[in-house]
Amino acid sequence: MPNHIDDIFKAGLENYQIDPEPVVWSGLSKSLTSKEGKVILPWYFNPKKTILVALLVSMASFGGGYFYALFNDGTGQNARIESIPVERKVASIPSRPYQLNKGQLAYQQLSDIGSSNEESHPVTSNVSSLSVSEVSSTRRSDNTRPLNQFFNTTSQKSHTSQRSHEPLLFSATPVALLLEKEHELSNPQTIDVEKNISSVLPISELNKALNKRDFKKHFISIGYQRNQTAEGRLSYDFGTNSKQTWSESTEAIDVKFGVNFTKNIGLATGVAVHQDHFTFVNQEYFYPPPGNNAIPSEPISPEFTYGFSRTDLEIPVAVRIQGRNNFIGYHTVTGASLMSQIQSDRTFSSSEPGFNSRDASGLQAVYNPQGRFNLYGSAGVDFYLLKNAGISFDAVLRKRLQATFLRNEFESDDYVLGAQMSAFIKF
Amino acid sequence: MIFKKSNIRPSDATESELIAGCLKEDRRFQKELYERYAPKLLAVCCRYCRNREEAQDVLHEGFIKAIKNLHRFESKGSFEGWLRRIMVNAALENIRKNKNLSIVEGIDEAEGQRVESVALENMGAAELMKLVQALPAGFRLVFNLYAIEGFTHKEIAEQMSISVGTSKSQLSRARTALQNMIKETDVEVYNEYAKSH
């Protein structure tokens, strides 16, 4: 047995264990940082993350709009036309009296007609400017011909008097061809519209028409917007001795109207009514300093809940970049707005009935009654339910340049992320 | 935001898994860490404090420090030793805060004294703890650091901002005080024995 005093105490106490009282862990669990105990907010309540995401979305949308506008000079429309599936490869030529303006059929069009034909077609007399062999080559073995020939011929005025095989007075209109037309039209045939369609259709004209159709100078939208800027704050230290949490949310109904300068760029303005809700919960705790044997984290005040609401009027001005591809479109809006309070209200409640706020006078000044500027941007997707009307969904990022409410360290001159749903019409 | 919990059960976690769980701020692992080490650490705290309540406060402070500084722990040494060291530091800080450290200057030669006691032979850890807690703060501190934690006088002097001589003096006086208390206990034991026979 060790009898030296140090050894005795060391042997006796070195591995000694004392179970702590349960209250120690309960106090610790409130003091320790834990993801389980934290007020866990969605990622978009994290200002850094929301700014990053909003920047990426804005850049992508803006870049997409820029390049869409840059390269959308008809190329896209060509692609649209070329991608139209030809459901019926052949079409019947209606059987009706042949109408042809003999002076309008150009010789070069004749040369476009296929030359692989082996079958000859009888030509009887007076072909002034086209040899027999050339005429015979115009007859196609598959009884088809290019559509342009059909378009050009049927669109001309009637000239039925040339049906007799009299000599033509103009060299560019071969009689043999006219005879063939008559033969073909009197006997309904089929034409191949699949071949060489891109060279047949007047694409540039169609593109212009399509561009004109897509471009609407004005638009009006009515939307509902909900913004959420919430922050859970848990302070539990020697300094504050209190736990405070607060949250804020805003709802808005807006009417916007705008003018489009080009198909892709426009200016928007309007008016919005915002309803802001702000809740502040406060409870004081006793946290004893070291050496004090009192139970830590004991609430020493009722829980106060201050509720505030305010109504603001907002007038935005923004640049709008937009694009559309059939039934889906997109838009980005970047601008500024002026917001002004038109009404405010507040409520107070306590966990202890009948307990009045100790800070009633100070709470009156929570809301900033001054006019405030915002910078905002949104990016959204348009769904065209009708030809020029539909609904859109937006992500909205707002930077408040002045605080909407002021109370000690709680100044809401921060970023606010929201979502908006709108109905729009373009005209 | 979804917090993905570890698949490892905290009660089955090894020391390194426990540390990893605490580093992820998983409350379950924090609790397991507390439950595993708190009894030993509270005993350490008790040796430096006057009573259990004060020791629990020190444990509270020390544990928060340990969790916050867990990333600084290098797995080279003993984790329990690292925790004990944090608790000792928390206890020293507590003593400094409360300014209840009375240092008596002067050197008493008490080195090598041997204690022969009937009562001491039968004392359990709880009784020994009571004796230590009954020591004045300065004596208790130096005695703990030197006799139980294994610090040298030089280290104690640096830690407490006192001279090496003062540290030795405090230790000597602590031992003397303990011997006196043990003798008193011996007398009580003898008296009880005499009464019963």
Side-chain angles (χ1 to χ4, degrees):
Chain A
M1 172 192 165
N3 58 2
H4 190 275
I5 197 163
D6 292 1
D7 295 336
I8 293 168
F9 276 88
K10 185 172 183 178
L13 296 177
E14 195 169 28
N15 294 312
Y16 184 44
Q17 297 188 16
I18 303 170
D19 289 327
E21 293 168 9
V23 71
V24 179
W25 170 248
S26 65
L28 262 173
S29 63
K30 288 173 184 169
S31 302
L32 288 173
T33 311
S34 164
K35 287 185 176 170
E36 191 178 305
K38 270 183 181 174
V39 179
I40 298 174
L41 299 168
W43 63 267
Y44 46 81
F45 289 133
N46 183 325
K48 287 180 184 173
K49 288 180 182 172
T50 51
I51 290 167
L52 185 65
V53 170
L55 274 175
L56 288 174
V57 169
S58 300
M59 285 170 67
S61 301
F62 193 87
Y66 177 78
F67 285 109
Y68 185 84
L70 194 66
F71 296 114
N72 193 27
D73 53 353
T75 310
Q77 301 292 1
N78 277 337
R80 285 166 57 184
I81 291 167
E82 285 166 0
S83 66
I84 295 170
V86 179
E87 293 180 358
R88 296 182 64 187
K89 292 184 178 180
V90 292
S92 297
I93 297 172
S95 178
R96 57 181 176 175
Y98 178 56
Q99 295 177 338
L100 178 67
N101 184 343
K102 64 181 178 183
Q104 298 293 317
L105 190 61
Y107 180 75
Q108 58 268 28
Q109 288 175 327
L110 181 66
S111 67
D112 289 336
I113 298 173
S115 59
S116 61
N117 205 325
E118 298 297 331
E119 186 185 343
S120 63
H121 188 73
V123 177
T124 54
S125 64
N126 297 331
V127 177
S128 61
S129 60
L130 196 66
S131 68
V132 172
S133 62
E134 282 176 305
V135 171
S136 66
S137 71
T138 65
R139 181 69 180 175
R140 294 167 66 98
S141 61
D142 56 358
N143 284 335
T144 62
R145 61 194 177 90
L147 190 62
N148 59 348
Q149 196 172 349
F150 172 72
F151 282 148
N152 286 333
T153 55
T154 56
S155 63
Q156 309 307 319
K157 290 181 180 177
S158 172
H159 199 284
T160 53
S161 62
Q162 296 297 327
R163 291 179 67 185
S164 62
H165 297 167
E166 63 189 34
L168 295 176
L169 299 176
F170 42 87
S171 62
T173 308
V175 173
L177 182 61
L178 299 178
L179 292 172
E180 188 183 16
K181 295 284 175 255
E182 185 181 42
H183 173 74
E184 287 176 354
L185 295 172
S186 60
N187 300 287
Q189 301 169 29
T190 58
I191 56 170
D192 189 344
V193 296
E194 188 178 23
K195 288 182 180 177
N196 300 321
I197 191 167
S198 62
S199 64
V200 170
L201 291 174
I203 287 171
S204 59
E205 296 299 320
L206 280 173
N207 283 335
K208 285 178 186 173
L210 286 168
N211 279 325
K212 197 173 178 182
R213 187 203 70 180
D214 285 350
F215 175 66
K216 299 295 175 189
K217 195 169 183 183
H218 303 97
F219 76 90
I220 291 178
S221 71
I222 300 173
Y224 168 77
Q225 189 181 120
R226 183 170 177 83
N227 302 307
Q228 188 77 23
T229 168
E231 185 166 320
R233 178 185 173 87
L234 180 68
S235 76
Y236 183 80
D237 51 46
F238 298 113
T240 62
N241 295 335
S242 64
K243 184 175 79 171
Q244 297 166 333
T245 56
W246 62 273
S247 66
E248 186 196 18
S249 66
T250 61
E251 293 173 287
I253 292 176
D254 70 350
V255 178
K256 287 196 183 80
F257 53 90
V259 179
N260 294 324
F261 303 122
T262 71
K263 186 182 170 189
N264 298 107
I265 297 175
L267 197 64
T269 185
V271 63
V273 178
H274 282 256
Q275 182 76 26
D276 189 282
H277 307 280
F278 175 59
T279 306
F280 180 86
V281 181
N282 181 76
Q283 185 162 29
E284 292 179 4
Y285 287 81
F286 178 62
Y287 189 81
N292 191 313
N293 298 328
I295 300 169
S297 73
E298 184 183 8
I300 57 170
S301 78
E303 188 178 86
F304 311 122
T305 303
Y306 305 100
F308 304 91
S309 66
R310 64 183 290 163
T311 307
D312 292 304
L313 200 65
E314 183 184 32
I315 298 174
V317 178
V319 174
R320 185 182 164 102
I321 294 174
Q322 59 203 339
R324 176 183 180 180
N325 191 356
N326 294 330
F327 300 107
I328 303 289
Y330 76 90
H331 64 264
T332 61
V333 179
T334 310
S337 69
L338 176 63
M339 196 179 263
S340 181
Q341 177 179 308
I342 54 177
Q343 184 266 339
S344 70
D345 192 18
R346 73 184 186 94
T347 59
F348 172 78
S349 63
S350 167
S351 60
E352 191 174 300
F355 198 94
N356 293 319
S357 170
R358 292 179 297 179
D359 192 17
S361 58
L363 289 170
Q364 297 283 6
V366 162
Y367 270 127
N368 177 11
Q370 306 297 321
R372 300 172 312 284
F373 278 102
N374 298 304
L375 297 177
Y376 76 93
S378 71
V381 183
D382 303 324
F383 296 96
Y384 286 82
L385 304 178
L386 300 173
K387 188 178 176 185
N388 289 308
I391 55 172
S392 62
F393 298 93
D394 284 55
V396 183
L397 181 67
R398 183 184 299 275
K399 171 73 175 87
R400 298 191 278 210
L401 299 182
Q402 287 91 28
T404 55
F405 60 92
L406 305 161
R407 180 180 162 80
N408 300 327
E409 70 269 35
F410 304 122
E411 291 190 6
S412 62
D413 52 339
D414 51 9
Y415 287 92
V416 181
L417 192 70
Q420 177 161 351
M421 188 176 79
S422 307
F424 65 86
I425 183 165
K426 295 181 177 179
F427 55 97
Chain B
M1 187 182 293
I2 298 168
F3 175 56
K4 191 179 177 184
K5 287 188 174 181
S6 170
N7 292 327
I8 304 164
R9 286 173 60 191
S11 55
D12 299 336
T14 61
E15 191 178 271
S16 57
E17 288 167 345
L18 203 57
I19 294 168
C22 290
L23 286 172
K24 290 177 186 170
E25 297 183 359
D26 189 329
R27 175 55 49 84
R28 301 171 305 148
F29 284 83
Q30 289 174 345
K31 189 174 186 188
E32 177 62 25
L33 184 78
Y34 172 81
E35 286 175 351
R36 263 190 219 185
Y37 294 103
K40 286 182 182 177
L41 298 176
L42 182 60
V44 172
C45 297
C46 278
R47 284 195 275 112
Y48 291 87
C49 299
R50 286 165 296 185
N51 52 48
R52 184 186 175 123
E53 286 72 26
E54 189 181 337
Q56 288 185 161
D57 285 340
V58 171
L59 177 70
H60 180 107
E61 287 303 303
F63 206 81
I64 289 171
K65 282 182 184 172
I67 293 288
K68 283 182 179 172
N69 294 287
L70 210 51
H71 61 282
R72 293 184 181 173
F73 172 68
E74 295 173 1
S75 303
K76 295 171 186 172
S78 157
F79 181 59
E80 189 182 324
W82 184 77
L83 286 174
R84 287 169 74 101
R85 181 65 188 259
I86 286 178
M87 292 301 155
V88 170
N89 287 336
L92 292 174
E93 195 176 321
N94 178 52
I95 291 166
R96 283 192 204 105
K97 269 186 190 172
N98 294 334
K99 295 178 181 176
N100 56 6
L101 183 62
S102 56
I103 302 293
V104 181
E105 297 291 337
I107 298 174
D108 288 353
E109 293 299 330
E111 296 289 334
Q113 287 181 4
R114 305 196 74 79
V115 180
E116 301 292 345
S117 166
V118 178
L120 194 58
E121 287 175 17
N122 299 316
M123 272 186 185
E127 285 79 19
L128 291 173
M129 183 66 81
K130 281 180 184 171
L131 292 179
V132 171
Q133 285 182 328
L135 287 171
F139 295 180
R140 186 169 66 236
L141 190 59
V142 175
F143 181 78
N144 272 313
L145 291 173
Y146 185 89
I148 301 175
E149 308 297 346
F151 284 81
T152 65
H153 282 298
K154 190 181 175 186
E155 288 168 336
I156 295 167
E158 286 172 1
Q159 189 100 7
M160 297 175 61
S161 303
I162 57 174
S163 66
V164 172
T166 304
S167 173
K168 287 179 179 176
S169 163
Q170 296 293 304
L171 178 66
S172 173
R173 288 166 185 269
R175 284 172 177 158
T176 305
L178 286 171
Q179 283 171 14
N180 291 336
M181 284 189 276
I182 291 165
K183 279 176 189 173
E184 286 173 14
T185 312
D186 268 342
V187 171
E188 287 170 12
V189 170
Y190 176 78
N191 289 338
E192 281 182 14
Y193 178 80
K195 280 180 187 174
S196 61
H197 291 81

